[in-house]
Amino acid sequence: MTAAPPSRPASPHRQPEAGDRDRYFSRLAQERPDIAMCRATALVAHSTDEELTGRGLTVAQHLVLKMLNDVGPCSQQELSTQLRIDRSVMVGCIDGLEDSGLVRRERHPTDRRAYAVTLTPGAGPVLAEAEGGVPRLLDRAFGALTAAERRTLTRLVGKILDVS
């Protein structure tokens, strides 16, 4: 008895059917959720960058200001962990916010070895302006979805991120 020959991938030299190239990404995105999520993430990142242009903030800086506003002073490590931003990126993020006069580092009240990042009075208007752009950002990035579909997407992404 002989073994069946190994299956081969389709020949790269085959003649494509009419419209194959035009529909390639659509088919790929339906077959591969990893690729679909990567491209969707790029679309959302682009929309976010467009919304923050002119405000002098990065996405990470916006998130830091929002968290500090919502929960109060935090260590850089806590910000990094909670916002899922790499620690090396967080250092530059906080440095930029500090250089802009939006945050300051102060001795942590319960851990004398650590510093707490605190909002300055100038952060309020900058955060309010950035937050005011969120509805436009959401409409730009998720305009093809209904309100119910946006809620479902939020729930599913939360499940992937284990935050649901």
Side-chain angles (χ1 to χ4, degrees), residues 119-141:
L119 291 176
T120 65
V126 172
L127 178 59
E129 184 181 346
E131 286 292 294
V134 170
R136 282 187 306 276
L137 160 67
L138 295 176
D139 286 343
R140 185 181 297 131

Side-chain angles (χ1 to χ4, degrees), residues 42-110:
L43 176 105
V44 172
H46 181 73
S47 297
T48 304
D49 288 342
E50 283 182 357
E51 189 57 44
L52 291 174
T53 297
R55 291 194 168 86
L57 291 177
T58 65
V59 173
Q61 289 172 332
H62 179 194
L63 291 174
V64 166
L65 292 177
K66 182 167 176 45
M67 182 170 170
L68 292 174
N69 186 68
D70 292 347
V71 304
C74 298
S75 70
Q76 284 183 200
Q77 181 178 353
E78 188 176 13
L79 289 164
S80 179
T81 300
Q82 288 297 316
L83 296 174
R84 290 165 174 79
I85 297 173
D86 187 82
R87 289 171 41 185
S88 63
V89 173
M90 184 58 71
V91 170
C93 175
I94 300 300
D95 287 347
L97 288 169
E98 193 171 39
D99 291 347
S100 298
L102 301 176
V103 302
R104 64 179 172 269
R105 291 175 172 106
E106 300 175 339
R107 283 283 181 204
H108 197 283
T110 59

